[in-house]
Amino acid sequence: MNQNTFEKLQFNELKELVKSYCVSDLGKEMLEKQQPSTQLNVVKHRLAETTEARKILDTDSHVPLLGTSNIAHMIDKLEKGIILEPSELVGFADFLRGCRKIKTFMRDKEFFAPLLCSYAHSITEFSAIEETIHFSIKGAHVDSQASKELKRIRSHLKATEEKIEERLTKFLKSSANKEYIQDFFISKKDDRYTIPIKASYKNHVAGTIVEVSSKGSTVFIEPAAITKLSMKLATLRSDEAIEEYQILATLSGMIVEEIHAIKINIDAISQYDMIFAKGKYSKSINGIAPRLNQHGYLKLVECTHPLLPGDTVPLNFEIGKNFRSLVITGPNAGGKTIVLKTIGIVALATMCGYHSRADQSTEVAIFDQIFVDIGDNQSIENALSTFSSHVKNISEIMRAATNNTLLLFDEIGSGTEPTEGSALAIAILEEFYHMGCITVSTTHYGEIKRYSEIHPDFMNAAMQFNNETLSPMYKLVIGQSGESNALWISKKMNLHDNVLQRAADYMRNKEYNLNPIRENKKRKAIERASQQADTYEYEVGDKVKLREYDDFGIVYKKKDNANNLTVLYKGEFIEVNYKRVSLELTAIELYPKGYDVNTLFTSYQSHKLQKDLERGSKKAYKQIQKEIRDRK
């Protein structure tokens, strides 16, 4: 399988989803490395593992895999001769305990999970190493009980530290030293016990200056009274470090002696974590293990894409028995591409041992290769057009395909002139058919549908479309061809019936109406307006084109002495020179005989005044008051 197939079918996303059910990096690494197998026996084995894991999880949801952290880096350190730190040894002991627990857990599961139980036989228990580590290390530190010598050294260390603190306390309480001391407490600097002394009295106190404060006002002095005790303390600490190192080396050596068996444990635990992750995923989707075959037969029953919600319309699909090539048609956004992706990702998932969300009667073929050509493959770097990139991809597929290859093509032949695209797509499908491939393709081209209808080993299928609600039903029906529904949708969008009828006629007989238009009312009106531009007397109600605005208005007042017209335009009365307008339609053409055009403007003015009053316009109130005064 190639990476393009994984990306286009979103298989890597599915793998990440299954990996999320692992409890350790060991399982995640193994799951990441596992590729779809093209061997029937291997796939059967993987599905059997997942099925047994699912059975165990259905009866006992808690599998003791906690504590099985990734210890690969610790193994690397040990093989390089590096001694493990206390915390690393504790982690190793936890891993060995996890191995022991999973081995015990699997002992009574042999009746319904014999395969997974057999893996536990390879796990070796290391109780002695586990117990020794936990006895010797407490709280990520070597415990005093780890050896008699370490216990003796730490006993002397404690006694020496107590003597030092006793003498320093006596130093602090002495009245003779009171004047020299900056702060009355014992300070530890670089594992040496000191007293904070005023810098001005540093020569008055016998001892060694260990540190000076940042401002220089305080010096930290180790008094001479504890010098011998400090030297003894340093020697004891050195002895302690040597003894701790020897203990860690002994514990690390115990692991190295069993490194081969421990590596087998690591492989077994990694395997268990990966398999139970598949089982947990199966349980989360209520998945099933599909039946298998090697002769290209695919039958998906009530199957849904693993990355889509559980309430997605399930897919019923079949190929490889009565026909070997399927051509799917139907409207855009009708689910054709999802059908292709569902077929492909279910095949890949099965080859990895993942269960699928489908009916028990689902059957999946094991293919040598799965190739896809889905989406826009346009390459900016190579300056390839969409069509060219599709052809380049198909060319590469053609060179690599075998007689046991699954091919998934979305909108085959698209991106170029339809006649050529259809012919090329048919030739490509025919070539893959002769090569023995199983092919599923989608198209809008009628020629491809017609070819599929007459070829004995090809079959049409359609994505159902609800013509009443104008919505796709996402349901595949094999044995019938679908339409793009362009005319139906256009009719629902109230496109003129005569346009739809002509389109339907053109689809049937390709006889186009090529008669030129002899008369055009609008053109005649424009010509008339142009001829009358200098002589026509504009009347109230005429529809005119305002050249400055490239829009239309209605004449409100005829020309005044300055040759300006008053025109109602977008709710405003504007003055325009008559040479800046052209006649579109006369008032006689616009309104019926006897119609009072002034009512247009009166009703408009009244409506505008009402609106201005409602919003509290002072100008409108002043106008009302003026009209009242005029009437008096």
Side-chain angles (χ1 to χ4, degrees), residues 411-479:
E411 300 296 345
I412 188 167
S414 63
T416 187
E417 195 275 325
T419 303
E420 288 185 337
S422 297
L424 182 61
I426 291 170
I428 289 169
L429 292 174
E430 191 175 54
E431 179 64 18
F432 281 123
Y433 166 72
H434 289 146
M435 292 172 65
C437 303
I438 297 293
T439 307
V440 185
S441 57
T442 70
T443 186
H444 284 293
Y445 291 157
E447 286 301 316
I448 301 176
K449 288 187 278 186
R450 281 188 283 276
Y451 175 82
S452 181
E453 287 174 357
I454 62 176
H455 196 294
D457 262 351
F458 276 62
M459 179 63 73
N460 275 328
M463 300 303 299
Q464 283 194 327
F465 188 82
N466 190 321
N467 290 331
E468 294 301 322
T469 62
L470 296 181
S471 60
M473 299 173 69
Y474 305 109
K475 188 175 182 181
L476 181 72
V477 180
I478 294 177

Side-chain angles (χ1 to χ4, degrees), residues 21-29 62-74 90-103 105 123 130 262 264-274 276-277 280:
Y21 290 99
C22 291
V23 299
S24 72
D25 292 337
L26 295 170
K28 290 179 181 178
E29 287 179 9
H62 176 68
V63 180
L65 282 169
L66 296 177
T68 54
S69 58
N70 190 354
I71 60 171
H73 71 284
M74 301 183 204
V90 171
F92 219 110
D94 289 341
F95 169 75
L96 296 178
R97 181 179 60 183
C99 294
R100 177 169 52 83
K101 284 190 172 183
I102 194 69
K103 185 178 178 75
F105 177 80
I123 296 177
E130 183 188 334
I262 289 173
I264 294 174
N265 281 12
I266 292 173
D267 289 339
I269 293 300
S270 303
Q271 192 85 355
Y272 271 132
D273 194 17
M274 177 185 70
F276 277 107
K280 292 170 188 174

Side-chain angles (χ1 to χ4, degrees), residues 226-241:
I226 65 165
T227 300
K228 288 184 178 181
L229 289 172
S230 294
M231 291 174 62
K232 182 181 179 181
L233 188 64
T235 302
L236 288 169
R237 282 177 177 156
S238 177
D239 293 341
E240 180 190 32

Side-chain angles (χ1 to χ4, degrees), residues 72-235:
H73 71 284
M74 301 183 204
I75 296 291
D76 290 339
K77 288 179 71 172
L78 290 170
E79 289 181 333
K80 292 175 183 177
I82 302 173
I83 305 302
L84 296 183
E85 297 294 328
S87 59
E88 292 174 324
L89 286 165
V90 171
F92 219 110
D94 289 341
F95 169 75
L96 296 178
R97 181 179 60 183
C99 294
R100 177 169 52 83
K101 284 190 172 183
I102 194 69
K103 185 178 178 75
T104 303
F105 177 80
M106 295 303 300
R107 278 176 186 155
D108 61 349
K109 306 295 187 296
E110 189 169 2
F111 179 72
F112 55 90
L115 186 60
L116 294 189
C117 278
S118 66
Y119 298 164
H121 299 327
S122 65
I123 296 177
T124 305
E125 296 184 43
F126 296 100
S127 300
I129 297 177
E130 183 188 334
E131 291 170 4
T132 303
I133 291 174
H134 284 302
F135 175 78
S136 302
I137 299 174
K138 300 280 194 303
H141 296 285
V142 180
D143 191 70
S144 299
Q145 302 298 323
S147 73
K148 291 181 179 180
E149 181 62 15
L150 183 61
K151 185 177 181 181
R152 184 193 66 80
I153 292 170
R154 286 182 176 172
S155 177
H156 286 299
L157 268 171
K158 185 179 181 182
T160 304
E161 287 176 337
E162 287 175 353
K163 287 181 181 179
I164 289 173
E165 289 181 2
E166 183 183 333
R167 292 191 182 185
L168 291 179
T169 301
K170 187 177 180 181
F171 182 92
L172 288 171
K173 291 181 178 179
S174 174
S175 57
N177 300 323
K178 186 175 181 180
E179 185 180 359
Y180 314 138
I181 298 172
Q182 182 76 280
D183 295 300
F184 289 84
F185 62 84
I186 300 169
S187 178
K188 214 173 181 182
K189 302 289 182 181
D190 296 329
D191 283 337
R192 297 173 72 176
Y193 290 89
T194 66
I195 300 294
I197 302 296
K198 296 175 183 176
S200 55
Y201 292 104
K202 63 182 179 181
N203 295 324
H204 292 72
V205 177
T208 304
I209 297 176
V210 176
E211 191 177 297
V212 179
S213 68
S214 58
K215 294 182 179 180
S217 59
T218 305
V219 293
F220 296 90
I221 294 178
E222 181 184 76
I226 65 165
T227 300
K228 288 184 178 181
L229 289 172
S230 294
M231 291 174 62
K232 182 181 179 181
L233 188 64
T235 302

Side-chain angles (χ1 to χ4, degrees), residues 38 294-296 365-369 402-406 435-437:
T38 59
Q294 278 185 301
H295 48 268
I366 306 304
F367 294 98
D368 293 339
Q369 295 280 359
T402 68
N403 62 355
N404 188 34
T405 297
L406 174 63
M435 292 172 65
C437 303

Side-chain angles (χ1 to χ4, degrees), residues 268-328:
I269 293 300
S270 303
Q271 192 85 355
Y272 271 132
D273 194 17
M274 177 185 70
I275 294 169
F276 277 107
K278 293 180 185 179
K280 292 170 188 174
Y281 167 70
S282 173
K283 187 173 182 179
S284 71
I285 63 168
N286 194 25
I288 57 96
R291 302 170 185 173
L292 303 176
N293 68 77
Q294 278 185 301
H295 48 268
Y297 177 57
L298 273 169
K299 182 183 179 183
L300 306 184
V301 183
E302 297 295 303
C303 183
T304 56
H305 193 289
L307 299 178
L308 292 179
D311 57 355
T312 303
V313 178
L315 172 66
N316 290 286
F317 173 86
E318 187 173 4
I319 195 172
K321 182 175 286 186
N322 300 319
F323 53 90
R324 297 185 65 82
S325 294
L326 187 72
V327 176
I328 304 174

Side-chain angles (χ1 to χ4, degrees), residues 235-255:
T235 302
L236 288 169
R237 282 177 177 156
S238 177
D239 293 341
E240 180 190 32
I242 293 170
E243 184 61 21
E244 284 181 353
Y245 182 84
Q246 288 179 346
I247 292 168
L248 295 176
T250 301
L251 296 174
S252 298
M254 291 172 66
I255 297 172

